[in-house]
Amino acid sequence: MPDYKAPVRDISFVINEVLESEKLYQTLPGYEDATEDLLNAIVEEGAKFAENELAPLNQVGDEQGCTWSEEGVKTPEGFAEAYRQYVDNGWPALAASPQDGGQGMPNMLAMCITEMVGSANWSWGMYPGLSHGAVNTLEAHGSPEQKEKYLTRLVSGEWTGTMCLTESHCGTDLALLRTKAEPQADGSYAVTGQKIFISAGEHDMTDNIVHIVLARLPDAPEGTAGISLFIVPKVNVNDDGSLGERNAVHCASIEEKMGIHGNATCVLNFDGAQGFLIGPPNKGLNCMFTFMNTARIGTAMQGLAHMEQSFQGALAYAKERLAMRSLTGPKNPDGPADPIIVHPDVRRMLLTQKALAEGSRAFLYFLAQQGDVVSHGSEEDAKAADDMMALLTPIGKAFVTELGFEAANHGVQVFGGHGFIREWGMEQIVRDSRISMLYEGTTGIQAMDLIGRKVLGSGGKMLMAFAEIIDEFCAANSDEEDARFVGAVKAAKDEWLGLSMEIGKAAMENPDEAGAAAVDYLMYSGYVTLAYFWARMAVVARKKIAAADGDTSFYQSKLMTAEFYFERLLPRTETLKKTMLSGADNLMQMPEELFAI
Amino acid sequence: MPDYKAPVRDISFVINEVLESEKLYQTLPGYEDATEDLLNAIVEEGAKFAENELAPLNQVGDEQGCTWSEEGVKTPEGFAEAYRQYVDNGWPALAASPQDGGQGMPNMLAMCITEMVGSANWSWGMYPGLSHGAVNTLEAHGSPEQKEKYLTRLVSGEWTGTMCLTESHCGTDLALLRTKAEPQADGSYAVTGQKIFISAGEHDMTDNIVHIVLARLPDAPEGTAGISLFIVPKVNVNDDGSLGERNAVHCASIEEKMGIHGNATCVLNFDGAQGFLIGPPNKGLNCMFTFMNTARIGTAMQGLAHMEQSFQGALAYAKERLAMRSLTGPKNPDGPADPIIVHPDVRRMLLTQKALAEGSRAFLYFLAQQGDVVSHGSEEDAKAADDMMALLTPIGKAFVTELGFEAANHGVQVFGGHGFIREWGMEQIVRDSRISMLYEGTTGIQAMDLIGRKVLGSGGKMLMAFAEIIDEFCAANSDEEDARFVGAVKAAKDEWLGLSMEIGKAAMENPDEAGAAAVDYLMYSGYVTLAYFWARMAVVARKKIAAADGDTSFYQSKLMTAEFYFERLLPRTETLKKTMLSGADNLMQMPEELFAI
């Protein structure tokens, strides 16, 4: 199993040197305490917890998986104990609002913890991670009583939460949802139906689980306009806050799946379970959309986590494993062969992982920072940040998870045949990462969201706003030494705008043109976005080297990785450009019955 | 679990209409019986066996896996019985030489069977599949007594065989091999050492297993020039052919791995096991190289098998699963939603699988046909075919398996969240396919073989010979109606030659330039090669439609898929072109210690 060492130096570089967090948080009322020193100190603490408590449980979780019985779900050895420590250390409350018992730290900092927890053990991280949806729902739409009763215990981590959306016949298309909620005399609702794919839907870590359930009222309109949100606690809660009777919600089974075996993916049966309406009736989906971006950035983090985890494993192996001689003559002449890190193709895979991990880190922490501006900034800043998140979140979610899977596969490939063997832990990363392109909206769904709702839906405005920020960056960094990066970003941005226009035009005549271009367009957008963040990092690194600011090796590594990104990864846009412009005909012309004959 | 229906119509199209097998085999002495009717009839029989006997065991094999005990390895339920039927039907002998008890059919036909068997159940197919290495070794280098004693029983399928190369510290780099063979007074050798990753190394399907083992004689030179080949039977064979004592080779354990659970991947301990030298001492690697191409085409078939298998599963689901409405208005207005095959991005994934499967089928059957020319053609033809195989085999092995993995992942993606769940069988295809890029030489190794040994090593001659064949095809098909395909192939071929020259020049100055370009160059070569085969298929299809030859739907589907290939997949060369020319510096400049700081 690969060791995990949290990349605290790189996290600090991103949040402090590139994103200048302290400067930002000084301007956001409520976040003034988030100084560079405090951010670094908390990251260091999180690193220790992830490395020492969670990483050692990662392979155990995969091997043992969860076990179901009538009494409930047993999580793998050590998972529940680690959760208790996590709660004792106060981690669940880190970024929650002080009025609900939280510590009021920026969401960006919580994302740093999510990265490290997730890189160490993604399956474990999903138990506290899934609470965020419930927390966000209750924060935004819960009544004061509901907050008091449920939210504070979710914030403290005493209980965990879930989001119960999917039914067996509908995941993406929630219009087809069937679960019912019948009003009861006491003002509560009897919730009946079956939900599937409920991550962390049942476990032995806490005394209670707060399910947020999407269901239909008896008189609800059809489709998505008839969905309401309900709190359905696993165990009913008395008015004094003590636990009452077991509610009529039970885990019928857990799924056998490709990976994330340490996390229980549950079928939940609601048999007239007592539920409580949150927010206005029939407005459930609207309520959820308000924090969809946050949830999706959380999933994007999974891509980053697997990039980092897989890179670390592959790098260690590449330095140790001896095979063949370097093409330019022995580099380890006293040994029987050279370490495989001397071979260009092994380096290509390692540098791909490294460039993707470091680029995605800057991208996603920037996004999380935007979320902090949305919640704590001035109205104007919040609006701009909200638009930025709306545009970049589908890119973050789909692009970073797709490349997380790619990086995980490079990790296996570096190990050769050993990569396919369980004990090395590299194939687990591939299996764990595969879900990230599926849940929280598949890559295809994110792509339609990006091109349809965000880019074309805003009449290009959201994209133009980001383009302006890129332009400002380019204008502010016109030094000759940075030109190779800055110039490439500027050109890529111009091309991105042009392609968006072109597809927009085609889509006006035929909506299938948007669908036919969508995924290629999203991936293209991702490479341009990452180029922007790589250029920002490269400029910082170059200036630090010039200023002889110490830590030169770190900054040199950064510059070389930037070069790799621009020369080896950004050119992927060349193909995407061609395919996204190839039109819908090559996809749509084939009648269904001609697919197989 | 997806049903498997063998694509007999498409196989027939490729081997008869595109590759015109009957015409070829009439010119190859010994293969005259291989008429179109006979080929089709045998494919039909193979299809039934694969569909009815093997496909139902595919998921069972994954779930149960193999179990190890002191007594040996137990294969999954039904595997041994299916093997007995396979032997009773005479399949193992299909393409073996009549003088060794074979039926003397072309190797290309055996590959058709390999495809269908492998698409139905790759893990099962590896048990008879692994015998080929042993059969080929003995055919080429065995003494008459060895052939009589071992080869005939491998050909009949009474026993299976293995190839024992890898040791825990060396897979790719066989120079490091340590297993020893000490000469004994009776002319045999005592073989001592440990081999790992021995597929089908132990099982309960046959009474005996014939291991071909790479080992060193006591006085052998160091490195690859000191490796010899030995027969080490699991059970010793008496001179009358009856089984004697158990030999000192035992399966110490089987690997826990990502996929192909139905196949036992064994650690084999040789504790002074009795072995018999094959071929001249210290020439073991040379002996093996003579049939390395055949073995690698067998592995390339795995890519094709998973493309087809995953396509079939995804297509069936895409027609049934209802979600969302078509962007251009409801296509299933009476249902609650449209089948997802109406969505452009779902079609993109399905057509990618289809175009890859059908293109790879033509490519690999062509390659297998070349093998038949090598073994049965005139000296001149055999030499040309051998060169062709030398050039195209690394492309077939690496390119087709890489894209087999891609196709398997599209299959999961089409299923959305359900794709991650075991019972649907789609994630198994991803896990099973992952090994194909690793064993029989990783993608990186194939790429160095292609660019180093084949393209540059032949001074460009092998590539020029293939380019001439492409030119001939283009010249012979200058009809305006075919120009969109034929013209694109011609342009791609020209560019391919130019890129080869450019990289060759750079590599003369710095060998790392070849390594740095290798994988991108191989993938590029693959897309051009597949474009050639797609153009050949498109021309045939277009002419058949023009001739109103019946089966119009089939040919239309072919033409539309060709269009998809040229517009959506061939443009991947755009990126590869740029990255392969980006130079070695961006890979080699980073000192080892700067990879992680």
Side-chain angles (χ1 to χ4, degrees):
Chain A
M1 189 180 60
D3 271 342
Y4 175 65
K5 187 95 187 93
V8 288
R9 177 67 187 93
D10 201 55
I11 291 175
S12 168
F13 171 72
V14 168
I15 64 177
N16 299 311
E17 299 170 58
V18 180
L19 300 180
E20 297 179 303
S21 295
E22 181 174 309
K23 210 162 107 186
L24 172 71
Y25 290 126
Q26 292 304 313
T27 71
L28 298 180
Y31 282 156
E32 298 88 348
D33 292 347
T35 60
E36 179 165 337
D37 285 349
L38 186 65
L39 292 174
N40 282 344
I42 294 176
V43 167
E44 293 275 0
E45 280 310 302
K48 279 182 215 158
F49 188 79
E51 291 167 1
N52 301 332
E53 310 304 327
L54 300 180
L57 300 177
N58 189 41
Q59 204 163 15
V60 178
D62 185 58
E63 279 164 13
Q64 294 186 357
C66 295
T67 42
W68 178 94
S69 73
E70 290 281 351
E71 286 74 46
V73 168
K74 202 175 150 336
T75 56
E77 229 172 290
F79 269 43
E81 172 53 26
Y83 184 77
R84 270 185 290 277
Q85 283 185 53
Y86 184 78
V87 171
D88 290 348
N89 294 354
W91 290 113
L94 184 66
S97 165
Q99 71 206 43
D100 303 316
Q103 295 165 32
M105 280 290 116
N107 184 49
M108 184 199 71
L109 181 61
M111 284 293 153
C112 299
I113 307 301
T114 296
E115 179 196 328
M116 295 186 290
V117 164
S119 300
N121 192 330
W122 187 263
S123 292
W124 185 92
M126 287 176 73
Y127 290 101
L130 264 289
S131 293
H132 289 146
V135 166
N136 287 328
T137 310
L138 288 165
E139 268 182 356
H141 307 288
S143 67
E145 295 72 29
Q146 289 172 341
K147 287 187 182 178
E148 174 62 30
K149 211 171 199 174
Y150 303 103
L151 181 56
T152 51
R153 324 248 317 242
L154 287 168
V155 162
S156 71
E158 185 183 343
W159 302 340
T160 65
T162 74
M163 295 298 302
C164 299
L165 285 71
T166 304
E167 300 177 6
S168 68
H169 63 289
C170 71
T172 298
D173 193 352
L174 291 172
L176 306 179
L177 194 133
R178 290 183 198 140
T179 297
K180 283 190 174 147
E182 302 267 352
Q184 304 296 298
D186 63 356
S188 73
Y189 294 79
V191 177
T192 304
Q194 188 180 67
K195 296 286 182 178
I196 67 165
F197 295 169
I198 309 307
S199 299
E202 174 63 22
H203 57 72
D204 54 4
M205 290 175 163
T206 57
D207 295 334
N208 204 1
I209 301 175
V210 181
H211 303 293
I212 307 290
V213 184
L214 273 64
R216 287 183 189 286
L217 293 168
D219 56 352
E222 287 203 355
T224 53
I227 294 172
S228 307
L229 282 177
F230 299 87
I231 302 172
V232 180
K234 172 180 164 183
V235 182
N236 281 317
V237 183
N238 299 321
D239 286 340
D240 64 358
S242 63
L243 291 180
E245 290 197 345
R246 186 74 169 76
N247 203 352
V249 46
H250 289 94
C251 175
S253 61
I254 58 176
E255 304 286 351
E256 293 288 328
K257 49 199 196 296
M258 184 181 190
I260 55 166
H261 291 149
N263 200 274
T265 306
C266 301
V267 175
L268 289 187
N269 285 345
F270 296 85
D271 302 309
Q274 192 172 34
F276 308 93
L277 183 70
I278 320 173
N282 301 329
K283 298 288 180 204
L285 272 202
N286 305 35
C287 292
M288 280 188 47
F289 270 119
T290 56
F291 60 85
M292 195 81 98
N293 286 335
T294 322
R296 288 183 167 174
I297 297 172
T299 310
M301 297 303 295
Q302 185 174 359
L304 169 55
H306 294 312
M307 288 167 183
E308 179 65 35
Q309 183 186 23
S310 182
F311 171 60
Q312 292 194 14
L315 178 60
Y317 190 77
K319 287 177 174 177
E320 271 173 28
R321 175 78 176 183
L322 305 180
M324 315 299 280
R325 291 298 183 184
S326 160
L327 294 166
T328 56
K331 300 293 177 281
N332 174 35
D334 299 336
D338 288 339
I340 61 174
I341 198 171
V342 306
H343 303 310
D345 193 57
V346 171
R347 289 175 158 252
R348 184 184 61 86
M349 295 189 278
L350 293 171
L351 284 166
T352 301
Q353 297 177 303
K354 181 175 165 69
L356 293 177
E358 295 177 8
S360 299
R361 183 170 292 125
F363 173 23
L364 297 183
Y365 290 168
F366 169 82
L367 258 186
Q369 219 184 38
Q370 295 298 301
D372 292 326
V373 177
V374 171
S375 61
H376 287 63
S378 69
E379 203 177 323
E380 191 187 347
D381 289 350
K383 174 74 186 73
D386 199 41
D387 279 359
M388 181 75 85
M389 280 184 84
L391 177 77
L392 296 184
T393 299
I395 302 175
K397 197 282 177 183
F399 176 77
V400 178
T401 59
E402 290 281 340
L403 295 183
F405 184 69
E406 176 186 329
N409 274 293
H410 288 312
V412 165
Q413 198 69 18
V414 168
F415 274 68
H418 294 277
F420 197 66
I421 306 299
R422 288 232 170 155
E423 65 177 313
W424 289 96
M426 299 305 287
E427 59 86 38
Q428 183 190 339
I429 309 178
V430 174
R431 289 186 289 102
D432 286 353
S433 70
R434 187 61 188 84
I435 187 63
S436 62
M437 297 114 90
L438 298 166
Y439 59 17
E440 278 296 326
T442 62
T443 299
I445 293 298
Q446 303 295 334
M448 282 309 295
D449 181 45
L450 174 67
I451 198 163
R453 297 186 58 231
K454 308 298 170 60
V455 174
L456 305 180
S458 77
K461 272 186 206 144
M462 287 183 182
L463 181 59
M464 287 306 301
F466 185 44
E468 269 169 42
I469 287 179
I470 297 177
D471 279 334
E472 280 164 30
F473 162 77
C474 293
N477 293 281
S478 55
D479 289 356
E480 188 53 37
E481 298 100 309
D482 301 320
R484 58 189 169 148
F485 303 125
V486 172
V489 167
K490 200 170 168 54
K493 179 229 47 170
D494 287 343
E495 192 179 71
W496 189 17
L497 294 182
L499 290 166
S500 306
M501 293 265 288
E502 205 162 333
I503 290 165
K505 253 189 251 168
M508 282 204 292
E509 284 176 28
N510 175 7
D512 275 337
E513 290 289 344
V519 166
D520 291 338
Y521 179 81
L522 180 138
M523 295 304 288
Y524 180 100
S525 307
Y527 288 111
V528 177
T529 303
L530 226 58
Y532 164 66
F533 286 101
W534 263 114
R536 284 183 64 170
M537 293 195 285
V539 168
V540 172
R542 203 266 306 154
K543 287 181 180 165
K544 297 268 183 176
I545 293 170
D549 210 9
D551 226 356
T552 311
S553 298
F554 178 84
Y555 299 115
Q556 273 172 341
S557 169
K558 200 54 85 176
L559 270 181
M560 289 173 185
T561 311
E563 221 164 277
F564 173 86
Y565 181 82
F566 278 86
E567 295 184 7
R568 292 257 172 189
L569 298 181
L570 183 58
R572 294 184 183 181
T573 52
E574 298 292 328
T575 289
L576 295 166
K577 180 168 65 182
K578 271 202 119 163
T579 51
M580 81 173 86
L581 293 180
S582 72
D585 273 2
N586 57 34
L587 303 181
M588 305 312 292
Q589 67 181 350
M590 191 178 284
E592 196 181 309
E593 62 277 12
L594 290 200
F595 274 77
I597 289 169
Chain B
M1 188 178 63
D3 272 342
Y4 175 65
K5 187 93 188 99
V8 288
R9 176 68 187 91
D10 201 55
I11 291 175
S12 169
F13 171 73
V14 168
I15 64 178
N16 299 311
E17 300 170 57
V18 180
L19 300 180
E20 298 179 303
S21 294
E22 181 173 310
K23 209 163 109 185
L24 172 73
Y25 290 125
Q26 291 304 313
T27 71
L28 298 180
Y31 283 155
E32 297 88 346
D33 291 347
T35 61
E36 179 164 337
D37 285 348
L38 186 65
L39 293 174
N40 283 343
I42 294 176
V43 167
E44 292 275 0
E45 280 309 302
K48 278 182 218 159
F49 188 78
E51 291 168 2
N52 302 332
E53 309 304 327
L54 300 180
L57 300 176
N58 189 42
Q59 204 163 16
V60 177
D62 186 58
E63 279 163 13
Q64 294 186 358
C66 295
T67 42
W68 179 93
S69 73
E70 291 281 351
E71 285 73 46
V73 168
K74 203 174 148 340
T75 56
E77 229 172 288
F79 269 43
E81 172 53 27
Y83 184 77
R84 270 185 291 276
Q85 282 185 52
Y86 184 78
V87 172
D88 290 348
N89 294 354
W91 291 114
L94 184 66
S97 165
Q99 71 207 42
D100 302 316
Q103 295 165 31
M105 280 291 116
N107 184 49
M108 184 199 71
L109 181 61
M111 284 294 154
C112 299
I113 307 302
T114 296
E115 179 196 328
M116 295 186 289
V117 164
S119 301
N121 192 331
W122 187 262
S123 292
W124 185 92
M126 288 176 73
Y127 290 101
L130 264 289
S131 292
H132 289 148
V135 165
N136 287 327
T137 310
L138 287 165
E139 268 182 355
H141 307 288
S143 67
E145 294 74 29
Q146 289 172 340
K147 287 187 183 180
E148 174 64 28
K149 211 171 198 173
Y150 304 103
L151 181 56
T152 52
R153 326 260 299 253
L154 287 168
V155 163
S156 70
E158 185 183 343
W159 302 340
T160 65
T162 73
M163 295 298 302
C164 300
L165 285 71
T166 305
E167 300 176 5
S168 68
H169 62 289
C170 71
T172 298
D173 194 352
L174 292 172
L176 306 178
L177 193 134
R178 291 182 196 142
T179 297
K180 283 189 174 148
E182 302 267 351
Q184 304 296 298
D186 63 357
S188 73
Y189 294 79
V191 176
T192 304
Q194 188 181 66
K195 296 287 182 177
I196 68 165
F197 295 169
I198 308 307
S199 299
E202 174 63 21
H203 57 73
D204 53 5
M205 290 175 163
T206 56
D207 295 336
N208 204 0
I209 301 175
V210 180
H211 303 294
I212 307 291
V213 183
L214 273 64
R216 287 183 188 286
L217 294 168
D219 55 352
E222 287 204 355
T224 52
I227 295 173
S228 306
L229 281 178
F230 298 86
I231 301 172
V232 181
K234 172 180 164 183
V235 182
N236 282 317
V237 183
N238 299 321
D239 286 341
D240 64 359
S242 63
L243 291 180
E245 289 196 346
R246 187 74 169 74
N247 203 353
V249 46
H250 289 94
C251 175
S253 61
I254 58 176
E255 304 286 352
E256 293 288 327
K257 49 198 195 298
M258 184 180 189
I260 54 165
H261 291 149
N263 199 275
T265 306
C266 302
V267 174
L268 289 186
N269 286 345
F270 296 85
D271 302 309
Q274 192 172 34
F276 307 94
L277 183 70
I278 321 171
N282 301 329
K283 298 288 179 205
L285 272 202
N286 305 36
C287 291
M288 279 189 47
F289 270 119
T290 56
F291 60 86
M292 194 82 96
N293 286 336
T294 322
R296 288 183 168 174
I297 297 171
T299 310
M301 297 303 295
Q302 185 174 0
L304 169 56
H306 294 312
M307 288 168 184
E308 179 64 35
Q309 183 186 24
S310 182
F311 172 59
Q312 291 193 14
L315 178 60
Y317 191 76
K319 287 178 174 177
E320 269 172 30
R321 175 77 175 183
L322 306 181
M324 315 299 281
R325 291 298 183 184
S326 159
L327 294 166
T328 55
K331 300 292 176 283
N332 175 35
D334 299 336
D338 289 339
I340 61 174
I341 197 170
V342 306
H343 303 310
D345 192 58
V346 171
R347 288 174 158 251
R348 185 184 60 85
M349 295 190 278
L350 292 171
L351 285 165
T352 301
Q353 296 177 303
K354 180 174 165 71
L356 293 176
E358 296 176 7
S360 299
R361 184 170 292 126
F363 173 24
L364 297 183
Y365 289 168
F366 169 83
L367 257 185
Q369 218 184 39
Q370 295 297 301
D372 292 326
V373 177
V374 171
S375 61
H376 287 63
S378 70
E379 203 177 324
E380 190 186 348
D381 290 349
K383 174 74 185 71
D386 199 40
D387 279 358
M388 181 76 83
M389 281 183 84
L391 177 76
L392 295 183
T393 299
I395 301 176
K397 196 281 176 184
F399 175 77
V400 178
T401 59
E402 289 281 340
L403 295 184
F405 184 69
E406 177 186 328
N409 274 294
H410 288 312
V412 165
Q413 199 69 19
V414 168
F415 273 67
H418 294 277
F420 197 66
I421 306 299
R422 288 233 170 153
E423 65 176 313
W424 290 97
M426 299 305 287
E427 59 87 38
Q428 182 189 341
I429 309 178
V430 174
R431 290 186 289 102
D432 286 353
S433 70
R434 187 62 189 84
I435 186 64
S436 62
M437 297 115 90
L438 299 165
Y439 58 17
E440 277 297 327
T442 62
T443 299
I445 292 299
Q446 303 295 334
M448 282 309 295
D449 181 46
L450 173 67
I451 198 163
R453 296 185 60 231
K454 308 298 170 60
V455 173
L456 305 180
S458 77
K461 271 186 206 143
M462 286 182 182
L463 181 58
M464 286 307 299
F466 185 44
E468 269 169 42
I469 286 178
I470 296 177
D471 279 334
E472 280 164 29
F473 162 77
C474 294
N477 293 282
S478 55
D479 289 355
E480 187 54 37
E481 298 100 310
D482 301 321
R484 58 189 169 149
F485 304 124
V486 173
V489 168
K490 201 170 167 55
K493 179 228 51 171
D494 288 342
E495 192 179 71
W496 189 17
L497 294 181
L499 289 167
S500 307
M501 293 265 288
E502 204 162 334
I503 291 165
K505 253 189 249 168
M508 283 203 293
E509 283 176 28
N510 175 7
D512 274 337
E513 290 289 345
V519 167
D520 291 338
Y521 179 81
L522 180 137
M523 295 304 288
Y524 180 99
S525 307
Y527 287 111
V528 177
T529 303
L530 226 57
Y532 163 65
F533 286 102
W534 262 116
R536 284 182 65 170
M537 293 195 285
V539 168
V540 172
R542 204 267 306 156
K543 287 181 180 165
K544 296 267 182 174
I545 293 171
D549 211 8
D551 226 355
T552 311
S553 299
F554 177 84
Y555 299 116
Q556 273 172 341
S557 168
K558 201 53 88 178
L559 269 182
M560 290 174 185
T561 311
E563 221 164 277
F564 174 86
Y565 181 82
F566 279 86
E567 295 184 8
R568 292 256 172 189
L569 298 181
L570 183 58
R572 294 184 183 181
T573 52
E574 297 292 327
T575 289
L576 295 165
K577 180 168 67 181
K578 271 203 119 164
T579 52
M580 82 172 84
L581 293 180
S582 72
D585 272 3
N586 57 34
L587 302 181
M588 306 312 291
Q589 67 181 349
M590 190 178 284
E592 195 181 308
E593 62 277 12
L594 290 201
F595 274 76
I597 289 171

